[in-house]
């Protein structure tokens, strides 16, 4: 059953990326500045998603039970990861 979930997830991801690519292409054809903003927005969403997925797989939870995280430290880690992604 895990193979079916993987296959369906892969198909959904490919279809999502095709539709998203068409939306970016159409937006850039109309306005370069809007297209750039759209690309930055997509990049930001991907950064946030990958950050939380990475934290989950590295710590077994989104919030690490081993150490106390302040909101400032959490934001600093997220900012560094976001800058490195772009």
């Amino acid at each position: 059953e895990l193979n079916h979930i993987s296959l369906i997830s892969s198909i959904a991801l490919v279809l999502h990326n095709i539709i998203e690519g068409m939306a970016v292409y159409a937006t850039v054809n109309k306005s370069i500045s809007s297209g750039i903003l759209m690309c930055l927005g997509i990049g930001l969403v991907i950064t946030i998603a990958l950050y939380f997925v990475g934290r989950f797989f590295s710590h077994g939870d989104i919030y690490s039970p081993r150490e106390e995280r302040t909101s400032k430290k959490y934001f600093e880690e997220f900012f560094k990861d976001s800058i490195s992604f772009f």
Side-chain angles (χ1 to χ4, degrees), residues 10-60:
S10 297
I11 292 170
L13 186 62
V14 168
L15 289 175
H16 168 83
N17 286 339
I18 289 171
I19 294 169
E20 190 173 65
M22 291 184 335
V24 170
Y25 178 77
T27 304
V28 168
N29 276 339
K30 292 290 181 182
S31 170
I32 295 290
S33 60
S34 294
I36 291 171
L37 287 175
M38 186 173 186
C39 288
L40 289 174
I42 291 170
L44 182 62
V45 167
I46 291 170
T47 303
I48 292 169
L50 290 178
Y51 180 75
F52 284 115
V53 168
R55 300 245 336 133
F56 178 77
F57 283 115
S58 66
H59 297 295

Side-chain angles (χ1 to χ4, degrees), residues 57-72:
F57 283 115
S58 66
H59 297 295
D61 193 4
I62 291 176
Y63 303 104
S64 175
R66 291 177 280 184
E67 61 184 74
E68 185 65 32
R69 294 193 186 276
T70 62
S71 59
K72 182 180 179 186

